[in-house]
Amino acid sequence: MPLMSGAEPYHHEAGPVGVLLCHGFTGTPQSLRPWGEFLAGHGLSVSLPRQPGHGTTWQEMNHTRWEDWYAEVEKAFQDLLGRCSEVFVAGLSLGGCLALRLAEVHGPAVKGVVVVNPSIALDVPLLRLAPLLKWFLPSVPGVANDVKKPGVRELAYSRTPVKAAASLPRLWSLVQADLTKVTQPLLVYHSTDDHVVKPTSVGILRKVLKHATIEELSDSYHVATLDNDADRIFAGSLDFIRTHASVPLQRD
């Protein structure tokens, strides 16, 4: 299946500190590519994989489930572990959920976590019906391109594949059940004006993970990594990694 132009994965090998970036549901690596390139330019080894079913067609994505997307980021994480002495994980939206799941599963092997507008809760009524709707409604209108900055577009599907979406509640349930296992340093960026993910998810993180640092973004919508606050996210995440890494970062 041909890829959308710009949906390619991104990898950069540099120093002993690595970071795995996880893109969101129906999105592509394009939404995180500037973040990855910024971190790479400051001496980090970066892995930004394309999750199965993404970057091609929403019809193909309907043949994938959360287990497929998690398996891809797990593979990339293991690869980084084999090449780096320390690995951080980060993600946008559902990618933030996947990053948190990696932290839950791998414990101290994950050095720290950065998430941007993470999605970990069933807060869309339509999704409660997805297990039924998937049998006769292949897709619904998409949630892509929630960007405030003029002239910027997210490379993502214009339709949401219902069968794929129907698998999300199970992932959210698992992540919420194991949240107390996330003892690693955690930095959360939250757009106060987000038209995709409701405040429920960040509210849960705030309540359960008292050690989390939560930064509010006042000038970006959901895809904040492409929006007006992107530079703040990039610089803040770099400072976070520098603070919590045991070895100094190498500058390219």
Side-chain angles (χ1 to χ4, degrees), residues 120-132:
I120 67 167
L122 179 55
D123 52 19
V124 178
L126 184 63
L127 273 178
R128 298 184 187 277
L129 302 175
L132 175 63

Side-chain angles (χ1 to χ4, degrees), residues 25 36 88 90 117 119 138 143 175 196 202 221 223:
F25 180 73
F88 292 77
N117 294 323
S119 172
V143 295
V175 169
V196 177
V202 166
Y221 294 159
V223 192

Side-chain angles (χ1 to χ4, degrees), residues 28-224:
T28 66
Q30 176 259 0
S31 62
L32 301 183
R33 179 76 179 247
W35 192 6
E37 291 177 344
F38 174 88
L39 295 175
H42 287 81
L44 282 159
S45 292
V46 177
S47 179
L48 171 50
R50 178 184 66 89
Q51 296 162 34
H54 293 73
T56 54
T57 66
W58 66 259
Q59 291 91 338
E60 184 192 10
M61 190 176 172
N62 256 338
H63 296 290
T64 66
R65 303 293 181 268
W66 78 262
E67 292 92 343
D68 302 307
W69 317 323
Y70 180 79
E72 187 65 28
V73 299
E74 169 75 26
K75 176 183 175 183
F77 175 74
Q78 293 294 344
D79 178 66
L80 274 177
L81 274 182
R83 297 186 287 111
C84 299
S85 60
E86 297 179 346
V87 176
F88 292 77
V89 297
L92 166 68
S93 192
L94 189 70
C97 183
L98 295 174
L100 288 166
R101 186 60 182 162
L102 285 167
E104 292 171 349
V105 171
H106 292 285
V110 172
K111 191 69 174 177
V113 186
V114 183
V115 293
V116 180
N117 294 323
S119 172
I120 67 167
L122 179 55
D123 52 19
V124 178
L126 184 63
L127 273 178
R128 298 184 187 277
L129 302 175
L132 175 63
L133 291 175
K134 69 181 182 181
W135 299 111
F136 58 88
L137 188 64
S139 71
V140 294
V143 295
N145 204 43
D146 189 32
V147 181
K148 183 177 183 180
K149 189 174 184 179
V152 176
R153 294 195 64 81
E154 178 192 18
L155 184 64
Y157 296 144
S158 60
R159 305 288 298 177
T160 296
V162 175
K163 286 184 179 179
S167 73
L168 291 174
R170 175 59 178 159
L171 172 60
W172 289 327
S173 178
L174 285 171
V175 169
Q176 285 193 44
D178 288 341
L179 265 185
T180 55
K181 295 180 180 179
V182 181
T183 58
Q184 303 93 332
L186 172 62
L187 175 59
V188 181
Y189 286 101
H190 172 238
S191 295
T192 54
D193 194 3
D194 185 332
H195 306 104
V196 177
V197 173
K198 292 179 170 58
T200 311
S201 291
V202 166
I204 293 169
L205 295 180
R206 195 188 303 272
K207 180 179 179 180
V208 177
L209 302 177
K210 302 295 187 182
H211 69 286
T213 298
I214 299 178
E215 299 282 349
E216 302 287 357
L217 305 175
S218 61
D219 199 26
S220 296
Y221 294 159
H222 182 63
V223 192

